[in-house]
Amino acid sequence: MTIADNRQPNESEAQAALAAVVPQGWSRVVLKMSGEALGGSKAGETISGDTVERIANEVASCRSRFGTELAIVVGGGNIWRGTTGTGAGLDRATSDYMGMLATVINSLALQNAIERIGQPTRVLTAIEMAEIAEPYIRRRAIRHLEKGRVVIFAAGMGNPYFTTDTSAALRAAEIEAQVILKGTHSGVDGVYSADPLKDSKAVRFEDISFSEVIQKDLRAMDMTAITFCMDNQIPILVFDVMTPGNIIKAISRQTIGTLIK
Ligand code: UDP
């Protein structure tokens, strides 16, 4: 249709015109962030209000602009990791349960920030704590997504000896997400041929196969999660979640980071 036309566009023309101006986002994603991504620049700031608010704004904006069904898995590493406790003499399983509880704290912080800007959310926990969140039930998670709620998966998988990377992979398979968006917080904005913080000749891959990541032991994500995603054909986009605007870029499928497929 051109400007010279004076008739009203029909429905398919209107949709095509809209698609030309609004970038097409993924339709259903799992966004994985480390707990440390919620921390602030000030020493000892476990959860930064400014950072959480910025992430919440980007998440809510993606929901409204692209209609993306969004599930979030946030780690607990800013508060506690299983390895923190084993170093201090705790047994591994107990320490891992403490780590899973840390993810619940982060999930509630994110939920609160996202809801403050009017975007409905649900926190679903793998360890029951009915007073503060719903138990994880796969079909309910999917229903929440279909109703436009942002779903936050807390308490990992509920099993010790795993990480939240693997939880994100499992949940992505269960809800049939198109992709896992793995946000990094260490300043490394994708998968590199070598550690870019140590080797100035390291180059970032725009995309890379699962088998190459495994063969070269490129530590983009927990290896259990990588092999799970390979077996279940779930691509992973590794990108820097700390740069403002990057969640929007990742969800709207702009070229960013590294796609492992
Ligand atoms: N964890 C676990 N099972 C799970 C998910 C997490 O035992 O299914 C524990 C584990 O101890 C882990 C901690 O929770 O170290 C926090 O998660 P993670 O280390 O993945 O957090 P992140 O590094 O992403 O902040």
Side-chain angles (χ1 to χ4, degrees), residues 32-37 74-78 80-83 92-93 95-103 106 155-167 182 185:
K32 163 73 203 343
M33 281 173 292
S34 168
E36 280 165 11
V74 60
N78 53 329
W80 191 267
R81 279 202 181 89
T83 48
R92 171 74 193 264
S95 193
D96 279 340
Y97 280 115
M98 291 166 71
M100 287 183 257
L101 296 180
T103 72
N106 286 334
M157 295 184 285
N159 300 310
Y161 295 93
F162 288 98
T163 67
T164 50
D165 276 0
T166 309
S167 315
K182 156 80 180 176
H185 61 279

Side-chain angles (χ1 to χ4, degrees), residues 43-98:
E45 199 177 15
T46 313
I47 298 176
S48 150
D50 289 348
T51 308
V52 175
E53 193 181 313
R54 196 262 304 160
I55 292 170
N57 275 318
E58 289 197 36
V59 164
S61 160
C62 288
R63 208 17 258 149
S64 59
R65 283 168 68 183
F66 314 122
T68 303
E69 293 178 358
L70 247 152
I72 303 176
V73 172
V74 60
N78 53 329
I79 301 168
W80 191 267
R81 279 202 181 89
T83 48
T84 321
T86 49
L90 289 178
D91 67 70
R92 171 74 193 264
T94 302
S95 193
D96 279 340
Y97 280 115
M98 291 166 71

Side-chain angles (χ1 to χ4, degrees), residues 189-192 203-209 236-238 254-261:
D189 61 349
V191 182
Y192 280 74
V203 285
R204 178 165 56 82
F205 298 101
E206 208 160 281
D207 51 57
I208 188 168
S209 67
I236 304 168
L237 179 73
V238 181
Q254 295 179 44
T255 307
I256 185 174
T258 301
L259 187 65
I260 309 174
K261 56 185 184 173

Side-chain angles (χ1 to χ4, degrees), residues 11-242:
E11 199 177 327
S12 62
E13 286 169 337
Q15 273 173 6
L18 188 66
V21 289
V22 179
Q24 294 297 291
W26 296 100
S27 53
R28 183 177 289 172
V29 306
V30 169
L31 171 65
K32 163 73 203 343
M33 281 173 292
S34 168
E36 280 165 11
L38 305 187
S41 50
K42 290 180 220 138
E45 199 177 15
T46 313
I47 298 176
S48 150
D50 289 348
T51 308
V52 175
E53 193 181 313
R54 196 262 304 160
I55 292 170
N57 275 318
E58 289 197 36
V59 164
S61 160
C62 288
R63 208 17 258 149
S64 59
R65 283 168 68 183
F66 314 122
T68 303
E69 293 178 358
L70 247 152
I72 303 176
V73 172
V74 60
N78 53 329
I79 301 168
W80 191 267
R81 279 202 181 89
T83 48
T84 321
T86 49
L90 289 178
D91 67 70
R92 171 74 193 264
T94 302
S95 193
D96 279 340
Y97 280 115
M98 291 166 71
M100 287 183 257
L101 296 180
T103 72
V104 179
I105 295 177
N106 286 334
S107 298
L108 293 179
L110 258 184
Q111 173 177 47
N112 195 261
I114 298 172
E115 295 220 324
R116 272 204 309 271
I117 43 180
Q119 167 60 50
T121 67
R122 292 291 186 276
V123 173
L124 271 55
T125 55
I127 296 172
E128 277 201 45
M129 41 188 97
E131 285 77 6
I132 54 175
E134 291 180 14
Y136 171 71
I137 297 170
R138 175 180 163 269
R139 290 166 62 101
R140 194 182 274 185
I142 292 171
R143 191 80 190 108
H144 286 319
L145 291 169
E146 288 169 349
K147 287 192 163 179
R149 296 165 188 148
V150 169
V151 169
I152 305 172
F153 293 125
M157 295 184 285
N159 300 310
Y161 295 93
F162 288 98
T163 67
T164 50
D165 276 0
T166 309
S167 315
L170 174 67
R171 296 294 184 238
E174 288 183 280
I175 65 167
E176 295 176 12
Q178 288 175 297
V179 66
I180 295 176
L181 308 174
K182 156 80 180 176
T184 65
H185 61 279
S186 56
V188 179
D189 61 349
V191 182
Y192 280 74
S193 54
D195 184 348
L197 303 176
K198 293 182 188 151
D199 183 348
S200 59
K201 293 202 184 80
V203 285
R204 178 165 56 82
F205 298 101
E206 208 160 281
D207 51 57
I208 188 168
S209 67
F210 282 109
S211 49
E212 203 174 341
V213 169
I214 294 167
Q215 266 165 27
K216 295 187 174 157
D217 196 20
L218 301 171
R219 295 266 152 189
M221 206 170 174
D222 183 301
M223 266 308 160
T224 313
I226 297 271
T227 51
F228 182 93
C229 288
M230 181 172 75
D231 290 348
N232 293 284
Q233 294 166 7
I234 306 166
I236 304 168
L237 179 73
V238 181
F239 73 105
D240 171 17
V241 75
M242 301 311 283

